[in-house]
Amino acid sequence: MSAHEKREFEPKIVGFLCNWCSYAGADLAGVSRIQYPPNIRVIRVMCSGRIDPVFILEAFKNGADGVLVSGCHLPSDCHYLSGNFKALRRVTLLRRVIKEFGIEPERLRLEWISASEGDKFAAVVRDMVEQIKKLGPSPLKMKEGEE
Amino acid sequence: MEMEAEPPKIVCFMCNWVFCGEELQVPYNFNVFRVPCIGRMDPVLILETFANGADGVMLVGCKPADCHFVDGNLHAERAVKMLKKLLNLAGLGHGRLKIILFSPLEDGNFDKYAKEFSEEIWVLGSSPLKNAELAPKITANLAAAKNAASAFRLRVLLGREEELTELENAYGERISEKDYDALLDDIVNAEFVRYKIHYLTRDKPLSVRQLAEMLGLKPSIVLRHITNMRRKGMISMYRVEGNTPLYKALEVH
Amino acid sequence: MADGKVGAVLVVGGGVAGIQASLDLADSGFKVYLLDEAPSIGGVMAQLDKTFPTNDCSMCILAPKLVAAGRHSNITLITNAEVMAVDGEPGNFEVKILKRSRYINEEKCNGCGLCAQKCPVEAIDTYNKGLTDRSAIYVEFPQAVPLRFKIDREKCIGCRTCQEVCKANAVEYDQKDTEVVLNVGSIILAPGFEPFDARLKSEYGYGRYQNVVTSMEFERILNASGPYGGVVLRPSDGEIPRKIAFVQCVGSRDAQVGNIYCSAACCMYGIKEAIIAKEHVPTKLDCTMFYMDIRAYGKEFDAYYKRAQEEYSIRFVRSRVARITEDPSTGNLLVHYVGEDETPRVEEFDMVVLSTGMKPPKNFEKLAKVFGIKINKYGFCETDPFTPLETSKPGIYVCGAFNSPKDIPESVAQASGAAAKAMAVIASGRGKLVAAKEYPPEIDVTSEEPRIGVFICHCGINIGGFVNVPEVVEYAKSLPNVVYAEGNLYTCSDDTQKRIREKIQEFRLNRVVVASCTPRTHEPLFRETLREAGLNPYLFEMANIRDQCSWVHMHQPKEATEKAKDLVRSVVAKARLLTPLKNPTVNVTPVALIIGGGVSGMTAALELAAQGFEVHLVEKEKELGGHLRKIYYTLEGIDPQKFLNNLVKSVMENDRIHVYLGAEVTEVSGFVGNFKSKILHEGKEKLVEHGVVIVAVGATEYQPKEYLYGQDPRVLTQHELEEKLAKGEFNAKRIVMIQCVGARNEERPNCSRICCGQAVKNALKIKDVNPEAEVYVLYKDIRTYGFMEEYYREASEKGVLFINYTDACKPKVSNENGVLKVSFWEPVLKQEVEIEPDLVILSAATIPNPDNKHVAEMLKVPLTKEGFFLEAHMKLRPVDFQTDGVFLCGMAHSPKFIDECIAQACAAAARAATILSKKYLEMEGIVANVDEDLCSGCRICESLCPYGAIEMTEKAGKVVAHVIEALCKGCGVCGTACPTKAIVLGHFTTEEILAQVRAVLKEMIAE
Amino acid sequence: MEKPQLKIRKLPPCRAACPAHVNVQAYVSLIQRGKFREAVEIIRKDLPFPAICGRVCFSPCEDACARVNVDQSVAIRGLKRLVADIEREQGRVKGEPVPKKYSEKVAIIGAGPAGLTAAYELAKMGYPVTVFERMPEPGGMMRYGIPNFRLEKFVVANEIAYIQDIGVEIKTGVEFGKDITLEGLREEGYKAFFIAIGAQLGMKLNVPGEDLEGVISAVDFLRALATGKPLRVGERVAVIGGGNTAMDAARTAKKLGAKEVIVLYRRSREEMPAHPHEVELAEKDGVKFYFLVAPKRIIGENGKVKAIECIRMRLSEPDESGRRRPVPISFSEHQYEVDMVIPAIGQVVETSALPQELLNKDKGGMLIKYDPQTLETRIPGVFVGGDLATGPASIIEAVGAGKRAAISIHLYLRGRDPKEGLDETIEEVTWVKDWNMVNKKARRYDAPIEKPHLSLEEAMEYLMQLKKKARFEAFRCLGCGPCAECLAGVELCEGDKAVVDEVKCVGCNVCAVICPVGAIKKNDRGVAQVNEDLCKGCGLCAARCPENAIAMRKLSAEAIMAMISTALER
């Protein structure tokens, strides 16, 4: 890479994955050596229903450019019967909320990824990175930077 | 038919020990490079030489028992055998590569051999790389061949051929030359095709059928290769056009 | 072993049935040897994509069971092995086992997979049904248990590459087959089945036409981790098909190929595959299914079938496909069949899926010889309808598809049932061969500053090759509260466990962080190590720097190292806040309450009593027997009454069983291990304490309102006919039977399962009594699944006429001036036919017991829409409820035959025994906790908890939530929803997660 | 004080085995290229007697040669003789006098191989050296102990002339202890002395009749021949002993016309110290051998030898030398009718000439008191070596001693401790890791060139053949040593080493399998590691490494490609 080439913006993404499906899917991506950009940092929770909007807001507050929430497929894959529905409701709501804060709702993504969808996990991360690159750094971060 | 005015460009890799430092008489179109042993010639380097426009490549090593490094010359012979397969696949033909194991004490003047090879290349004509029409295809093929030649499994098998076919394998068995050759054949073929697919889909997503046509293979065989390439993280389904999935190469190291 | 009973069981076959049986046995205090010929357990289910009728991902629901079996301290997996000889008697068998060499030291291999990546030789991937390749050193699938590699000796060229790259030195080319001799008390056979070889049905062109695939291949094609990444492709050219034909009964119900039985599961998996194919194909896909009868006889199966037709527009064509040809220019397939209008047709498809049937396991003859068991004429294990789980040899039991072709839930039920049987023989050996582990006393660390030790794994070169581990180690040392950090070649190896324990002592560590692979597989190991070192196991946390870092960023070592640092930092931040958690325990009352005294309830009672548990058996009626009292003979021609009498006698005579006739359970309170119930018996209320409840309330027969039933005495139900036949009161000459009365309609969309068998049984009886009698059976689909098909055939051969009708064109029964008339559309003649039968027999639906609603409310368990009880999981937990300690069996679950009821009853007993056999239950420590000061008593959590683990109690005059720890599964939904944040989920507290979030981003901001 | 670290010198087996550590591999490799004269130059660096050793050395190098594992050792001595003879034939270049760097004069007593070598080495260092010799010609045993048919006198003269060329002064006819003494020499300004007068006296049989006419020790017999004294050879000659001198004496006797020559040896053939080849040649010459017999007395008639009475022996347990000790068998006495008896059972030092301080008073100990490592004696500045110190040994051992003495003297004269020169151990190295691999080398030369123990005429003829075959023969060398051994001046080979990228290496071991010299081994982390001492830079590993983790330091793939693309652009 030549020195004068501008350093590309590398988004920081925090992923909240449920233990049983999505985290297992992310593991499968690894086992299958499916490569994806190193922009995501995963935090494991037992169930997507455990993901509190506070976690997501905290992530944005601390400079995340995107947040991925992922759980078991609807309707019946949830290890805890219905946690995924709860996640769905919360994330849908939260999307509206973050818009108020000036964060593009696209930065918060909800995906259903099963334990056998390593491919999908990688694809989602790839896609998210691409999309957020287009959006640029989180406006929350920019604001802080200006201060 | 017009005679080609340019004489063929020939690259000759020669074992440093063959001529014991004596001056050589070679035709002027010969570029001679000394290497410590002809076994030093990484197959990739030889393909690279063709990619750089050589019309012919000649390897000159010591007579079997003379090798300064026990059997570097025989390793080179094995590499050449494999390279000939790749060159055939790449459309350059196997005649452009030649290895001779030579002893100036026994075989006399090298000149004779050099001229002979030069003649052979004259007959074959200049490298198809210089043909504007064929060049893109041959370039792609050579790129694929180079990648195939640097593929882990191919190199492992090449590196261990002697051990496995002449000594014994991990089970104390010896694999027959024929079986090994067949295995190597399969792998050379597979790796070439896979890297060709990889090359072709680097810039432009392609379907199984398109690839099959480009490669002159049955679509089912191409699909099988693609399944294996996916397994190894070389390619992924890019998008679907109508009912046709298109594949695009993934970066591999 | 005072009485010489060995408290160990050999389970042969590591499919889902074998695994279930093993888990039940192991959980009940028996030593289990789980043997499989394959290198890993999982069987066919591990190859499936989704499962019907819930479309659950097969691997997602199976993998936890695989892991549980692999980690269970009472289970020893013996893979890649075969039983050579069996000697001895029930209670004490000697089994000789040949353990085939895998050329890998199972102790050393840690499944890192580098060998396979570097293996230069490709072999056909049998797990993926040959659709792609794998290396010559392999595991069958990434989630395989045990995750130990194996060398395919056929393909391996012995190039030593795997040995060279294996950092664990696990490759042993000179490993030999070994013989192992085991002592076990009983044996369970669960060897499964072999798919029919579709090549034998040559007219379908399998093996010649690339786009003709078998159902198993199609499962892999559908699967996201399959060869095509879950997009359906044609093997010939990789195009996404537009039209797929599913051809049923390939190798089933086919005398031509010698398999006249029905394979019982193919209709459903065919439908499932069609549905999933439509879901997986991004473009428009037409699915057509060619079938003879759709046998959607199981619970909720017909509803699924209906959805396939209505929601997914799958076309169903009732026809046996004659042959399939290929258009070589396109690879398309021409399906030749005779349409329902009897005209030959040819239809073009892009792809054909053959629903291949089940054959007995390949080595069934050897199995029979080695175990000394009888085999039926098809090669499956012979059993008796009243002892469906027992082979001809005492002490050896059978379950799953080797018994007869069957689907997963039935296999699982049978497996648990077989486990009950296997336990009963050796009940006195319980707990003898399993040793409880001793741990040092736990160190109290609550008042200490966190002292964190970080262990970072190279995983050979799996991590170390891409992540700069020494750099991460150094980095870890710089983090707050980290007092020690080191790198390990393999952090999971035995010597490292020892090292971790030493370092805990040396540095007085009170928190441990391991950065290596995934906590999903390795967390239990490290927690165990902490316990051994005297630390609370929950003072442990893991960072996944392999599966989610080094392996997925192989070309970006710099970035991967940075990411690994971030992950370690984040986990260390969490570790600082970790607090010790107690695994809650509850005492168990070793008593069962069984509601319902039919064959299921009685069987369950006897099984539990045989294992030494006390049982309260409550029956509403004045006598025991339930539905079975109305059955006089079986399809096989056996008199069940004798069996029933014996059963009742055994129950009544058993000291451990307290029978309450004409009684009712009026109240149930408490939870698993500690229930208190009131039984209203003879006017008195009796309070009983018990640890489990088994619901076996049965079902009842639908009282038809249609076809003049109750209006004309010549219109009877099958039961009434059976009684007449049994009592010799039958003398009719022309009989019309009408199937699906009260079933498979708008109100009750599901099939009653047993009526087709019943109709065939009675028709045969009629022919027996009077061979001249004319019998017409008007049906929608004849569902004589499994070996019952044989009787259907026999009935046809004996002249019973089976005439198909559809919902659109139902038969009509009328009484015209005293003449009973039935008119119906005859599809072959293509005309309306009217006959005047002597009797019209209605195959009335089996409907839920009207008491179900009450029982369900009392036990807080759910019902299906139709009113049957709804089990915890349709596939893998067929006799469990979501509520722990409550089980289900028999017709209360759904209609079923006697043998199926018995199997389920045994299963329920086995599941119950896993609880009753323990003095106390130890629960996972990650449970919710209520801060009663903060709780506002709003009840949101109570309504959200899927397990009913939260109840409201009054404390100091205030209504607060209380978590029943025994029921809490630790999902954390309650805590997240709690408006006052009064509920905290241990190990995943809000503070912990927020700390993790902040730490993971901390330095990212700095950039 | 820290113990000084020993210097380890890694040498191929041939060079390690040679007492003079002649750089065999280097000159053999030069012979491969036909650079014969350069080869002699290489030999001369370590050994002033290429032609002499090329003829009569007992060649421990060949015994050590790793090639025996394949077929037969490389004919190192033959090659040496060849290049030396070629050089002589073509006219040897006159040795350039080495300028005198030091002023301290050194006196060497005895112009045998030890003395001459010491003189040669010291002269090369720049010391003024004088060699004093009792005999009229220098050369010692080379001149007077070995018959012409084995070692031509002109060859000896030629090689000694070279030593003189570089500035060594040789004074002959000067007898130590008589004409000169240590004190005298010191007065003349000599600062250091090397006494290497050899073992000139034939050992006595100590049997009755030893003073009869017709009994003459082998050394005397051979010396007489060399000095041209008239010699009467008996018709029937008995030579007693089994060493090389015995063989020389027996063959000489036969050549001088004895009708029958018998060799009596008290052990069996296996125990004979003579080179088997020599024994063979003696047999070829018609010498008869009687084993397991020991002389008991020599029977005379008229003061002349008439017969020799012997007793038969049997072999019992091995003694400390490892040879089985002969024990007489009672009543097995028998006689051989002979008219001449040549005892050749060893030589002893003429101690009369030596300063008495040097002699060891304790019986049974060493004859001379000295440090066998530094060759120092109790007299400051006086060093001893060669047969004098060790008892009769070979030329090459004497050369070794001479070299050692030169180093010690140099250190002594420079005021340093001669022990300093000992801080070096020699480690024998050979890359051959698996003889199976080497065995596969087709044997193109059915018979390696014969050892040149031929008659003078035959040898001359053979020399012609040898020239043709020499290069082939040299090719048989496996080149066991580290690549620095090869001084052939091959730029590409020299100094190139494989380098492993440890991050890329997965430990597949292909490199180790393919490395012809066993220079690559995996370390405990499972990563390939190059032993630079062994790596010869052939690049086979780099050409096969499946992970592209090995590069050559000099001739990297990039370097090759750069050459090619420039060439092809033209």
Side-chain angles (χ1 to χ4, degrees), chain C residues 566 569-571 573 994-1003:
Chain C
D566 289 350
R569 185 176 61 237
S570 145
V571 165
L994 286 178
Q996 229 183 327
V997 170
R998 283 185 215 114
V1000 87
L1001 288 162
K1002 198 181 70 190
E1003 291 198 350

Side-chain angles (χ1 to χ4, degrees), chain C residues 654-668:
Chain C
N654 196 309
D655 293 343
R656 293 195 183 109
I657 305 174
H658 311 288
V659 181
Y660 306 84
L661 295 174
E664 204 182 333
V665 178
T666 51
E667 200 188 310
V668 180

Side-chain angles (χ1 to χ4, degrees), chain C residues 118 161 164-165 167 461 465, chain D residues 506-509 522 525-526 547:
Chain C
K118 297 297 170 196
T161 302
E164 299 288 358
V165 301
K167 296 275 187 282
I461 63 165
Chain D
V506 294
C508 71
N509 216 34
K522 285 201 284 178
R525 281 171 297 133
E547 290 288 24

Side-chain angles (χ1 to χ4, degrees), chain A residues 12 23 26-27 30 33-36 38 40-41 44 50 52 58-59 62 76-77 80 86 90 116, chain C residues 56 224 518 520 523 544 547-548 551-554 563 566 947 971 973 976 981 988 990 998 1001 1005:
Chain A
K12 319 296 171 201
Y23 197 88
D27 282 347
R33 312 293 199 277
I34 302 165
Q35 305 295 302
Y36 55 82
I40 192 166
R41 305 287 182 268
R44 179 173 72 118
R50 171 70 186 103
D52 198 312
E58 188 72 15
N62 277 281
S76 63
D77 276 11
Y80 302 106
K86 283 155 197 148
R90 288 193 188 121
S116 61
Chain C
D56 276 335
T518 172
R520 289 172 45 255
E523 197 173 54
N544 186 342
D547 303 43
Q548 297 183 9
W551 273 351
V552 288
H553 313 308
M554 296 168 93
K563 178 168 173 177
D566 289 350
Y947 302 99
C971 66
V973 164
T976 310
K981 298 293 163 204
F988 288 95
T990 301
R998 283 185 215 114
L1001 288 162
I1005 304 165

Side-chain angles (χ1 to χ4, degrees), chain C residues 904-924:
Chain C
Q904 265 203 342
C906 292
R911 300 290 304 142
T914 62
I915 294 169
L916 297 179
S917 62
K918 296 189 177 83
K919 281 206 182 66
Y920 57 85
L921 297 174
E922 189 174 322
M923 309 292 175
E924 175 78 3

Side-chain angles (χ1 to χ4, degrees), chain D residues 5 34 46 48 59 73 99 167 193 204 281 335 343 354 363 371 384 434 457 535 544 548 569:
Chain D
Q5 219 182 337
D46 294 296
S59 50
S73 57
F193 308 88
K204 295 250 182 210
L281 291 170
Q335 294 182 358
L354 293 172
K363 290 240 161 116
D371 180 334
V384 293
D434 179 2
E457 300 72 35
C535 177
R544 287 294 177 279
N548 206 10
E569 265 166 32

Side-chain angles (χ1 to χ4, degrees), chain B residues 9 16-17 66 106 162, chain D residues 33 440 444 490 508 568:
Chain B
K9 276 188 179 174
N16 207 21
W17 300 84
D66 294 352
E106 289 183 343
E162 176 186 64
Chain D
R33 280 141 211 269
K440 290 185 297 118
R444 269 175 70 207
V490 181
C508 71
L568 287 172

Side-chain angles (χ1 to χ4, degrees), chain C residues 787-808:
Chain C
F787 300 142
M788 282 188 289
E789 180 70 11
E790 185 187 340
Y791 300 101
Y792 172 36
R793 254 188 126 76
E794 187 186 333
S796 302
E797 278 161 13
K798 287 191 170 156
V800 177
L801 284 169
F802 290 89
I803 297 149
N804 179 240
Y805 78 85
T806 59
D807 277 338

